[in-house]
Amino acid sequence: MTEAIRAAVFDELAAVGYGRMSIEAVARRAGVGKTAVYRRWPSKLQMVIDVVSDVVGYDVPAPDTGSLRGDVRMILDIAARALRHPLAGQIVPDLLAEAARTPDIARTLERALRDTQRGLGEAIVAAAVTRGEVGPATDAGMALDLALGPLYWHIAVLREPVTKSYLDRLADTVATALAVPRPPRAADEAH
Amino acid sequence: MTEAIRAAVFDELAAVGYGRMSIEAVARRAGVGKTAVYRRWPSKLQMVIDVVSDVVGYDVPAPDTGSLRGDVRMILDIAARALRHPLAGQIVPDLLAEAARTPDIARTLERALRDTQRGLGEAIVAAAVTRGEVGPATDAGMALDLALGPLYWHIAVLREPVTKSYLDRLADTVATALAVPRPPRAADEAH
DNA sequence: GGACGACGAAACGGTTGCGTTCCGTCCTGT
DNA sequence: ACAGGACGGAACGCAACCGTTTCGTCGTCC
């Protein structure tokens, strides 16, 4: 029962988005009376936050492939797989947009994204540091930005297909960029 | 009059999002009767597409600072300035999410983003190639992904402040990553 | 200065969703 | 076998919007 409603929330979110989603429609889709919904959650916002929180409470295992490039490639693969999922691919951008005007949603996504993500980045960079692949001052946050940013941009913004080859090249580039020692600040400030 | 309505569309888009936006609310905000709106556009979708198309018809001049790093930095600055604008920062992610379920919106954004963007990337990379900063096989698409992806990720997804220092480091990293000759494919396939 | 067009305001009937209440049924636990 | 709880369904009054129509008032052009 509760499971049917949770699934219906996802389907409805994907179909019409958070803004247009109505509790009536969720109940209809789940095949339950809306009484059943109101018995569980006091509002649309609370319902969505609860349902979404449940799902994003996954724990991505820190990859350990033995090389920075391999680790980055694995993270890219996991992220790409998630974003390619029809439901997630539709819901994530939607909630992201909604987060800009609903602090509770922003907080939920923040916990989901930033916290789990930060740990991942630090683990990967730390491993690469001990391996001697990158310098000890390497910025883990920047590393993840470099990897996930282009991926998200490609999938969610440009909406172009992401091929294995693209992921390979992206992982290559990111690992290389991080491995290169800080350049001697050639051609500084303005042109 | 028409100008007031256009402005109201933007404000309303930012305030409640495309999904929740109603023509009545737009008319109310613009201080006109909804008759005036319906006289101009047949539907909410057409109205939004028309209004948005008008604005994104800008022409970003191809930067020419004399160095790849400088060109990248300038593009990052322009993009960051645009995304930091309260209206754009709210509206862009919203329309992006809506684009996933409304082909007409997707097409509008595609023209706006991909086409103007592609030209920019190719111009910058071409200039860098003639300067000898990068190899002739450099992928302009990947170059832009590398620059704009992390920026968008940082601003719109992580919602963390983007400092000048961050943009500096990002431009540095991107320029460096592109400048490095393709590595000898060390440690290939799986781990 | 007279005609025409665009305007706002208001109202139309219809739909959808809100959050709540009530009722009759069915399932469960004991 | 019985009691209690959760269920679906229906209806409540209320509000917002839909897209259209009507009407009286301006402003503008010739």
Side-chain angles (χ1 to χ4, degrees):
Chain A
M1 157 92 337
T2 300
E3 247 357 273
I5 300 181
R6 286 183 185 277
V9 169
F10 278 112
D11 290 346
E12 199 64 20
L13 266 182
V16 304
Y18 179 84
R20 256 198 283 265
M21 189 183 83
S22 72
I23 290 191
E24 301 231 5
V26 169
R28 213 180 301 134
R29 188 187 286 266
V32 307
K34 62 177 168 170
T35 327
V37 177
Y38 277 112
R39 260 185 219 113
R40 289 170 173 75
W41 300 281
S43 69
K44 178 170 97 167
L45 176 59
Q46 288 306 313
M47 177 178 70
V48 168
I49 286 181
D50 179 54
V51 168
V52 169
S53 293
D54 239 45
V55 169
V56 296
Y58 60 149
D59 237 359
V60 176
D64 183 16
T65 64
S67 77
L68 176 58
R69 181 191 171 279
D71 287 353
V72 169
R73 182 63 176 78
M74 179 163 289
I75 284 193
L76 285 179
D77 208 54
I78 294 173
R81 210 185 304 280
L83 283 178
R84 253 198 300 254
H85 187 289
L87 279 189
Q90 191 96 266
I91 291 176
V92 168
D94 199 276
L95 288 183
L96 231 42
E98 193 59 32
R101 64 179 76 91
T102 310
D104 281 338
I105 292 186
R107 243 171 278 132
T108 302
L109 295 183
E110 203 173 314
R111 258 198 302 275
L113 272 182
R114 195 153 64 180
D115 293 359
T116 77
Q117 188 206 95
R118 178 168 303 173
L120 262 191
E122 283 167 0
I124 289 183
V125 167
V129 168
T130 68
R131 259 188 241 110
E133 291 185 275
V134 300
T138 305
D139 182 345
M142 174 67 85
L144 272 179
D145 284 8
L146 273 182
L148 297 181
L151 178 65
Y152 187 81
W153 176 264
H154 214 78
I155 295 183
V157 180
L158 298 185
R159 230 160 265 288
E160 286 176 358
V162 170
T163 62
K164 264 173 53 95
S165 149
Y166 179 82
L167 294 181
D168 284 339
R169 284 187 298 140
L170 182 54
D172 261 2
T173 309
V174 171
T176 309
L178 293 177
V180 167
R182 196 81 279 149
R185 281 236 155 235
D188 219 291
E189 286 327 293
H191 115 91
Chain B
M1 158 89 339
T2 300
E3 247 355 274
I5 300 181
R6 285 183 186 276
V9 169
F10 279 112
D11 290 347
E12 199 63 21
L13 266 183
V16 304
Y18 179 84
R20 258 196 279 267
M21 189 183 83
S22 74
I23 290 190
E24 301 231 5
V26 169
R28 212 180 303 133
R29 189 187 285 268
V32 306
K34 63 176 170 173
T35 329
V37 177
Y38 277 112
R39 259 185 220 113
R40 289 169 172 75
W41 300 282
S43 69
K44 177 171 98 167
L45 177 59
Q46 287 307 313
M47 176 178 69
V48 168
I49 286 181
D50 179 53
V51 169
V52 169
S53 294
D54 240 44
V55 169
V56 296
Y58 60 149
D59 237 359
V60 176
D64 184 16
T65 65
S67 78
L68 176 57
R69 179 189 171 281
D71 287 354
V72 169
R73 182 64 177 77
M74 177 163 291
I75 283 194
L76 285 179
D77 208 54
I78 293 173
R81 209 184 306 279
L83 283 178
R84 254 199 299 256
H85 186 290
L87 279 189
Q90 192 96 264
I91 292 177
V92 169
D94 199 276
L95 289 184
L96 231 42
E98 193 60 32
R101 64 179 77 91
T102 309
D104 281 338
I105 292 186
R107 243 170 280 131
T108 302
L109 296 183
E110 203 173 314
R111 257 197 303 274
L113 271 182
R114 197 153 62 181
D115 293 359
T116 78
Q117 188 206 97
R118 178 168 302 173
L120 263 191
E122 282 167 2
I124 289 182
V125 167
V129 168
T130 66
R131 260 187 239 110
E133 291 185 274
V134 301
T138 305
D139 182 345
M142 173 67 85
L144 272 179
D145 284 8
L146 272 183
L148 297 181
L151 178 66
Y152 188 81
W153 176 263
H154 216 78
I155 294 182
V157 180
L158 299 185
R159 231 159 264 287
E160 286 176 358
V162 171
T163 63
K164 265 175 50 98
S165 150
Y166 179 82
L167 294 181
D168 284 339
R169 285 187 296 141
L170 182 54
D172 261 2
T173 309
V174 171
T176 308
L178 294 177
V180 167
R182 195 81 282 149
R185 280 239 154 231
D188 219 290
E189 284 329 292
H191 115 91

